[in-house]
Structures are given as C-alpha cells and as structure tokens.
C-alpha cells in the first residue's frame, strides 16, 4: 500500500498526472457508495476520496451539500463509514483519503478518529474548513498516527502563505481552482490555470492537486497541461451515484473515470 | 491569543476566505482608532440611527413584578427598530473604507437584513440578504421592508431553512465574490475578527447604560439581555464584566429544555465548530449540527458567539432560558403595563427580569436591554395566543 505522495510520484514516473475521484459516503446509500468505489477502481482512479457528510458544509455547492443531507438522513455514522473504508481497502490498494469538516474531528477528537481511520485503511485527510493557522493539534496527531495531511490553497493565497501550506501538507497541496464552492462549471477559467502555474512555481517539494469545478476530460487535460500533479473530480460522480439505477452505478462511474484518466497523460 | 476567547473563537474557514478575513482584520484594527472614522460613525449613530437611546425606568412593569426596579435600555427606539443598526453602520462604513461596493448578509428575524439594507442605502452600497424560507414566511413584514429599501432578498431552502442556513449561503456567496464583496455578519459569531468587531460596534449599548445609571446615581444589581448569536448581549455586558453587577444572558427555551425543541445552545450544547468559530453548538454524538426551535426567529440558532462560551465557562455571565410561553407572556405584560411592544427576542430578557424581580429589594435595579421592537411579531403572537388560548385557560 503506497501513500499519497508515493502514488503521485509513481504517476509522474509514468508520464501522467494523478486522478483523484470523490464520492460521498452513504449517498444515496451504502451499497451505492460501494458500487461507485468499485467503478472508480475499474476506471483507474489513482486516489479515492471518501467524503464524510457534515450538516453544514460551507465549501460545498448544492450537489455535495444535498448528498451530505441525504447521507446523514440515511443514518451515516463513523461506524458505517469505517465499514465503507474497509471495503475499499479490500478491493484496491490505491491511497484512500477522508474528506470532511473540522467539527467531525472536534467531536470525536483527533487522536481517536484518526487512529480509527488509519486502522481501517485511510492514508490521508482533507478538512475543508481547516486553515494551517488552526491546525497544530490536528497535524501533530496525524503525524503521530501516520496519516497524510492535505491542506487547501486558493487562487488568492499569497506566496508566503502557500509556503506555509506546503510545509504543513503531506501527500499534496489541494489547490481550490475557483472562487466559490464545489460543483460543475462551464469550463476551466484562465485564472485557474494561472493559479496552478503560480502554485507550481512556489511549491517545490510537495505535489499540487487541483479541484473544484472540474468535470470533463478537456478540463482535466487543461489542468494537466498547466502543470497540476493531480486533478480532483467530485460532484459529477456524486451525481452519477444518485441518479443511476443501482445496477448501473459501477459501470457508469467506471466509464466516466476512465475517460478522465485518459486525459491525465502528459504530452 | 489573537481572535480567541480562551479556547473559543478562531478562524475555521475555507482557505479562500483567509485573505479576506486578514484584510478585514487589519482594516478594522486600523480604522477603529482613526479619528475621522470614529467621528463619522458617531455622527451616523446619532443623526441617522438615533443614539443615545433612553434608559427608561419602567415603573408600571416594576410594580407588576413587585420587587426590584426595572430599567429598559431602549434599543427598540433605534432606526429600523433594533440594535442591529449599531453594527451595520459600523461595518458598512468600514466596507466603504476598504473599497468594497457590494454587501452580502444573512438574516434570521429580518432585523439584521433591514438594518443592513438601511445602512447600505444610506452609504451607497449594493446589498444582498440571504434569509431562510421558513423565516421569510414568519417575518413577511421585514421581507417587504428589505425589498423597499433596495436589498435583494434571496430565499434559502436548504437544511432547516432558518438563520443557520442563511449564514451558510451568505458565506458561500462571499466565497464566490470575495474580491468585491464585504460579508456584513449580523451577530457576534463567525470567524475572527467578526466576534470582536461586532462586539466593538455594539458595546455602545453598555457604555451608555453605565453613564445613564451613573447619572441617576444607581448601580445595577442585575443586567439582562437575550442571547441568540449574542450581539446585543455582548454589547450590553462588555462594559460590566468584572463589576459587581450580576450578568444574565437568556436563551430561547422554546417548548422547554426537556421537550428537545429549544435553542439553548449554552444551556445544553457542547464544544464544536460551526460557521468558522469554535464555540458551544447544538450537535449530536456524531458531530452533526442539530435543529433548533424558538418562537422568535432571531434566537433560533444552534451556535452562539464564542465570547459567550468563554464567559460561561469562566462563570462571568449566568446563562438561563425563557420558554416560548414565558416570552409571549412577557411580551403581553410589557405591552399592557407600559405601552411598549417588544420584539419576541427581547421578550425573553423581559421574562427573566419579571422572574427575578420579586425576590429582590425595591431599592435594587435591574437593567434589561430591549434589543428591538415587536411590530414584526404581532402576527406570530396573535396566532400563538389563538393556538394556546384554550390550554392556558385550563391552567
């Protein structure tokens, strides 16, 4: 089982950028999530992000917010989330990342929750509302328990701050490519590509992944050309999991992810 | 530590907002000391908003309670009908100094939305206000006022469709428009510097109370204010923390704490992170934020300002609750005895004063911050009286 950083290194050696795909655990139900994970594996995702729902997800647009609401209503708890993680770990050895909000960790405590996640097979953690300034106890707990910490950056993040974010990050730095929340955009904006280039100029020792608003192979290819070491896609997969008949989720996710993966080749 | 009240407060936000909060923080620290900013704000507060507000000795209400003398700090007489204008004028002025032309805000009962729309009209800024669709239905009057004042009102139908979700949507809008827009948060909640900044703009309430009490040569034994997010309470208490006065914050007890339908965040909640701050929140064992209830939309919030969390733990303020029934009763008593119709939010504070006054000496003084007027609530109270009339006759 390779960590997130090793996996991205392996992708680079193969002349590609990494593809990270996201699904919300328990949306619309646990078996749909498992089907989506199987589809991601079949489609060739390099990293799988398993979202854990929070009732008030500030950084998320309507698709993922709604998926969180459905998952919570459906009874998603840490206990059932751990089962999904274990399932994913059984069927694949790609790195697994937990993505959620700070209150979930605050409630369960960092030590207790991170150790449960790591024991179940999680490699890294993304906390959408956790800036580096507030991260001391989170990072020390994660380091001790050997979880990689992915921090977020934004197009308006200063160079000095990018350095601090990179220093606190392991795995990669998650560049939020747009101003706004998660969810589909018409196409990748020029300022997003400029933000990727700027992040790559500043951050030398950590990979840079870009996400938010990326949904098509064309989007992926543009980000790869701009220098992104990884591209992250979420909302479209969440939508496939919600809108497909249960028997079709795996195949649809697989073919969608395979299309994205082909676009990760560096030319 | 900067931005912290003990372990509470902080700045738990998506990274995109960090530069905006840093910019806001440095602008606030700069202009709060600048003579021309202070002069302009003072002038707006006095000539536009109507400060200072009176401290009224409510003799009839005191007789009705039979004990301590009750003094009402009349924030309900401010322009717009609530203390909210103290903060919106301050922040709108700050936004202008920062070169922002657009304002986004949330509102619960609509009082902050109205005060935002007024301050923006007055200072030439464009405003958009997010409001839960449940709150829009129960506070129609304020929706109409906002429209007339030129604000764009956006309904929020996610989650509980109340204040909590309106804050989520306002923050999301800010994420997408962060370069041109100032987020004019209406309570002493949210990420640093909001709790400190809103307290500063609201603490004019407590400063006036102190000098008005000095003028009548009295020291208040108790000072009472209602707490939702807690801006009128922190503005009232700040001047009196570590004095002899007993400080009492009153949360919405809804149908009673045992009913599970209430908004007593400090009374029953636990430490968590919501809307960018570490504070007491209402949450379940999994860390999901709970739903709240109050007859007053302005107190219907599962979080609370982080400074209140600290004041509670430090034992400097006593936080209690008044139920929907007690609040509506206080609303009626104040209307009948004094000819003052209080906001349902403020009625919670009045209810607590009515409760404690009888056991106090006639020479003692209770100050109640009457944070707003109740015109917006007459429909809700009317319906409540009809719905509960039969039951209350039996008891």
């Amino acid at each position: 089982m390779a960590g997130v950083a090793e996996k991205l290194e392996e992708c680079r050696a193969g002349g590609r950028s990494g593809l990270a795909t996201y699904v919300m655990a328990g949306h619309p139900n646990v078996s749909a999530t498992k089907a989506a994970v199987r589809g991601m594996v079949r489609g060739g995702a390099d990293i799988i992000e398993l979202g854990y729902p929070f009732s008030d997800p500030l950084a998320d647009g309507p698709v993922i917010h709604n998926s969180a609401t459905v998952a919570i209503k459906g009874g998603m708890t840490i206990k059932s989330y751990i089962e999904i993680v274990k399932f994913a770990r059984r069927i694949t050895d790609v790195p697994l990342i937990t993505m959620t909000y700070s209150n979930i960790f605050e409630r369960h405590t960092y030590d207790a929750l991170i150790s449960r996640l790591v024991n179940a097979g999680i490699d890294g953690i993304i906390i959408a509302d956790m800036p580096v300034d507030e991260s001391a106890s989170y990072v020390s707990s994660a380091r001790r328990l050997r979880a990689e910490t992915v921090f977020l950056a934004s197009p308006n993040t200063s160079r000095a701050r990018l350095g601090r974010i990179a220093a606190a990050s392991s795995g990669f730095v998650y560049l939020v490519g747009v101003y706004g929340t998660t969810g589909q955009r018409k196409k990748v904006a020029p300022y997003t590509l400029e933000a990727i280039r700027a992040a790559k100029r500043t951050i030398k020792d950590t990979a840079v992944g870009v996400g938010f608003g990326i949904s098509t192979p064309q989007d992926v290819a543009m980000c790869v050309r701009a220098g992104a070491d990884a591209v992250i896609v979420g909302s479209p997969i969440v939508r496939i999991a919600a809108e497909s008949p249960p028997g079709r989720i795996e195949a649809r996710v697989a073919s969608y992810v395979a299309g994205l993966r082909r676009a990760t080749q560096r030319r | 530590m900067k931005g912290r009240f003990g372990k509470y407060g902080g700045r738990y936000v998506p990274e995109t907002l960090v530069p905006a909060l840093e910019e806001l923080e440095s602008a606030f620290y700069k202009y709060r000391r600048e003579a021309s900013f202070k002069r302009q704000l003072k002038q707006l507060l006095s000539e536009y908003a109507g400060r200072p507000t009176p401290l009224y000795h409510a003799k009839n209400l005191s007789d009705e309670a039979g004990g301590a003398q009750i003094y009402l700090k009349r924030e309900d007489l401010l322009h717009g009908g609530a203390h909210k204008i103290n903060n919106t004028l301050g922040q709108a002025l700050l936004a202008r100094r920062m070169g922002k032309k657009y304002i986004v805000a949330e509102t619960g009962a609509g009082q902050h939305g109205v005060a935002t729309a007024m301050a923006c009209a007055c200072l030439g800024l464009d405003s958009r206000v997010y409001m839960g669709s449940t709150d829009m239905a129960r506070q129609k009057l304020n929706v109409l006022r906002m429209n007339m004042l030129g604000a764009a009102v956006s309904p929020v139908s996610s989650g509980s469709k109340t204040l909590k979700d309106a804050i989520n949507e306002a923050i999301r809008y800010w994420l997408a428009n962060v370069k041109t827009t100032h987020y004019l948060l209406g309570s002493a909640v949210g990420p640093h510097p909001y709790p400190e900044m809103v307290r500063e703009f609201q603490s004019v309430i407590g400063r006036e109370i102190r000098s008005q009490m000095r003028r009548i040569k009295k020291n208040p034994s108790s000072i009472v204010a209602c707490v939702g997010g807690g801006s009128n309470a922190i503005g009232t208490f700040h001047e009196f923390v570590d004095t002899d006065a007993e400080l009492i914050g009153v949360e919405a007890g809804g149908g009673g704490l045992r009913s599970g339908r209430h908004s007593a965040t400090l009374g029953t909640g636990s430490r968590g992170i919501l809307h960018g701050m570490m504070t007491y929140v209402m949450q379940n064992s999994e860390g999901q934020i709970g739903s709240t209830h109050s007859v007053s939309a302005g107190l219907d919030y599962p979080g609370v300002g982080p400074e209140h969390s600290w004041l509670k733990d430090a034992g400097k303020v006593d936080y209690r609750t008044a139920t929907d029934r007690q609040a509506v009763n206080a609303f009626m008593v104040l209307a009948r005895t004094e000819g003052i119709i209080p906001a349902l939010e403020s009625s919670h504070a009045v209810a607590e004063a009515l409760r404690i006054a009888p056991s106090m000496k006639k020479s003692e003084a209770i100050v109640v911050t009457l944070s707003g007027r109740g015109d917006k609530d007459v429909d809700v109270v009317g319906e409540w009286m009809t719905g509960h009339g039969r039951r209350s006759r039996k008891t």
Side-chain angles (χ1 to χ4, degrees):
Chain A
M1 182 172 79
V4 177
E6 289 86 342
K7 183 71 183 185
L8 291 176
E9 192 46 54
E10 187 189 310
C11 292
R12 181 208 299 270
R16 306 172 40 234
S17 296
L19 174 65
T21 54
Y22 170 100
V23 70
M24 172 64 76
H27 170 253
N29 51 55
V30 171
S31 61
T33 304
K34 288 181 175 174
V37 170
R38 278 195 300 266
M40 290 175 181
V41 173
R42 253 176 64 190
D46 298 298
I47 296 167
I48 294 176
E49 288 181 14
L50 292 167
Y52 183 78
F54 176 53
S55 52
D56 294 81
L58 286 183
D60 286 304
V63 171
I64 294 183
H65 186 184
N66 177 57
S67 74
T69 307
V70 171
I72 293 166
K73 264 199 196 122
M76 180 49 51
T77 59
I78 288 296
K79 194 165 168 235
S80 35
Y81 181 78
I82 292 290
E83 289 312 308
I84 294 174
V85 173
K86 285 180 177 164
F87 164 82
R89 187 77 295 157
R90 272 200 305 278
I91 65 163
T92 180
D93 56 8
V94 305
L96 302 175
I97 293 181
T98 293
M99 183 163 184
T100 189
Y101 286 80
S102 57
N103 194 51
I104 302 298
F105 284 94
E106 198 58 40
R107 186 63 168 158
H108 293 86
T109 77
Y110 289 99
D111 276 354
L113 184 50
I114 294 173
S115 83
R116 282 175 79 184
L117 294 171
V118 168
N119 287 338
I122 286 291
D123 298 281
I125 294 166
I126 304 172
I127 306 179
D129 59 344
M130 173 62 75
V132 284
D133 323 71
E134 307 288 356
S135 69
S137 54
Y138 158 49
V139 169
S140 76
S141 177
R143 294 278 179 278
R144 197 167 55 250
L145 296 162
R146 301 189 184 286
E148 293 176 276
T149 51
V150 175
F151 281 89
L152 293 97
S154 165
N156 60 351
T157 305
S158 67
R159 286 193 58 166
R161 205 170 153 81
L162 270 180
R164 287 182 58 206
I165 290 169
S169 296
S170 44
F172 63 94
V173 171
Y174 190 139
L175 175 66
V176 173
V178 298
Y179 289 106
T181 52
T182 54
Q184 212 163 326
R185 305 289 197 280
K186 274 198 197 89
K187 60 183 269 210
V188 177
Y191 80 82
T192 302
L193 302 173
E194 186 39 51
I196 295 170
R197 288 189 280 266
K200 285 300 292 175
R201 278 196 299 272
T202 305
I203 302 172
K204 297 294 177 202
D205 301 328
T206 313
V208 173
V210 60
F212 283 44
I214 296 169
S215 60
T216 65
Q218 290 74 21
D219 295 342
V220 172
M222 285 171 81
C223 294
V224 169
R225 252 195 316 261
D229 300 299
V231 181
I232 304 137
V233 179
S235 295
I237 299 171
V238 169
R239 192 177 284 146
I240 294 172
E243 292 171 0
S244 307
R248 299 282 302 140
I249 294 173
E250 179 181 341
R252 283 189 189 169
V253 170
S255 96
Y256 175 68
V257 169
L260 298 175
R261 169 156 171 148
R262 280 191 290 277
T264 58
Q265 209 63 42
R266 292 182 186 167
R267 271 163 280 181
Chain B
M1 201 162 65
K2 197 178 67 176
R4 289 273 175 182
F5 307 94
K7 55 186 176 247
Y8 301 106
R11 189 181 273 169
Y12 299 86
V13 293
E15 184 64 30
T16 308
L17 296 183
V18 171
L21 291 166
E22 284 175 345
E23 180 194 3
L24 178 60
E25 177 188 353
S26 58
F28 168 59
Y29 286 159
K30 176 181 169 197
Y31 290 115
R32 76 197 288 191
R33 309 197 182 290
E34 199 197 80
S36 76
F37 180 86
K38 291 200 295 196
R39 203 180 317 119
Q40 200 179 352
L41 179 56
K42 199 170 176 195
Q43 188 175 4
L44 282 166
L45 286 173
S46 85
E47 293 169 14
Y48 183 74
R51 297 215 76 88
T53 58
L55 184 71
Y56 169 65
H57 182 187
K59 294 199 182 87
N60 300 338
L61 185 71
S62 307
D63 288 348
E64 175 88 12
Q69 299 306 301
I70 300 172
Y71 293 80
L72 302 175
K73 180 58 174 167
R74 299 290 308 275
E75 296 296 292
D76 61 314
L77 292 177
L78 283 171
H79 181 47
H83 71 292
K84 296 292 187 186
I85 194 90
N86 301 328
N87 172 49
T88 59
L89 284 172
Q91 284 197 48
L93 206 53
L94 190 59
R96 255 193 21 178
R97 297 283 170 120
M98 291 167 69
K100 309 274 179 185
K101 292 192 172 61
Y102 302 94
I103 298 291
V104 64
E106 81 297 334
T107 197
Q111 290 302 106
H112 174 59
V114 166
T116 297
M118 286 171 166
C120 289
C122 173
L123 292 168
L125 297 159
D126 266 8
S127 61
R128 169 181 298 275
V129 180
Y130 283 93
M131 187 171 190
S133 51
T134 299
D135 289 340
M136 285 177 79
R138 58 178 164 174
Q139 300 288 352
K140 283 181 217 120
L141 178 67
N142 276 340
V143 177
L144 290 172
R145 293 166 83 198
M146 284 185 273
N147 285 331
M148 287 168 191
L149 291 161
V153 182
S154 303
V156 176
S157 54
S158 60
S160 59
K161 306 178 176 61
T162 59
L163 178 57
K164 168 184 84 111
D165 308 281
I167 295 178
N168 287 340
E169 285 310 320
I171 291 177
R172 288 176 179 136
Y173 180 89
W174 195 31
L175 270 171
N177 300 278
V178 69
K179 282 188 235 168
T180 56
T181 304
H182 170 67
Y183 177 28
L184 208 166
L185 188 42
S187 194
V189 300
H192 176 66
Y194 284 103
E196 187 183 337
M197 180 169 67
V198 175
R199 179 192 74 199
E200 169 128 340
F201 290 139
Q202 290 295 359
S203 55
V204 63
I205 302 173
R207 284 198 303 273
E208 285 180 9
I209 292 173
R210 172 167 274 213
S211 70
Q212 286 163 326
M213 288 304 280
R214 211 175 276 149
R215 216 169 298 147
I216 57 170
K217 299 191 170 55
K218 284 218 165 211
N219 272 323
S221 299
S222 302
I223 302 175
V224 189
C226 64
V227 179
S231 70
N232 90 80
I234 207 70
T236 301
F237 296 159
H238 187 57
E239 188 72 14
F240 293 96
V241 171
D242 298 324
T243 67
D244 290 339
E246 175 191 42
L247 305 178
I248 304 170
V250 186
E251 296 189 293
L257 295 193
R258 253 174 278 162
S259 73
R261 296 183 74 245
H262 57 78
S263 304
T265 307
L266 289 163
T268 67
S270 53
R271 195 177 72 183
I273 295 170
L274 176 67
H275 294 147
M277 59 179 162
M278 183 175 289
T279 189
Y280 276 80
V281 299
M282 309 263 280
Q283 59 182 334
N284 67 14
S285 60
E286 290 288 323
Q288 307 298 350
I289 302 303
S291 60
T292 51
H293 163 82
S294 171
V295 69
S296 65
L299 301 184
D300 204 347
Y301 181 59
V304 66
E307 191 167 4
H308 287 293
S309 294
W310 176 73
L311 289 168
K312 174 192 159 78
D313 285 6
K316 291 172 188 288
V317 176
D318 196 4
Y319 294 92
R320 302 174 187 169
T321 56
T323 62
D324 287 349
R325 177 181 292 272
Q326 289 165 330
V328 171
N329 179 58
F331 177 103
M332 300 302 295
V333 169
L334 183 58
R336 283 187 190 143
T337 58
E338 297 286 354
I340 296 171
I341 296 181
L344 271 173
E345 289 77 9
S346 325
S347 301
H348 287 71
V350 175
E352 177 61 16
L354 289 173
R355 203 184 65 79
I356 63 173
S359 60
M360 295 167 69
K361 291 190 214 119
K362 282 210 156 52
S363 57
E364 289 186 280
I366 302 172
V367 174
V368 177
T369 295
L370 206 65
S371 55
R373 70 174 187 225
D375 306 47
K376 67 185 178 60
D377 295 317
V378 294
D379 283 348
V380 172
V381 172
E383 277 166 38
W384 212 92
M385 298 305 286
T386 325
H388 292 72
R390 216 169 298 140
R391 227 183 307 160
S392 60
R393 263 201 297 278
K394 268 185 208 160
T395 53

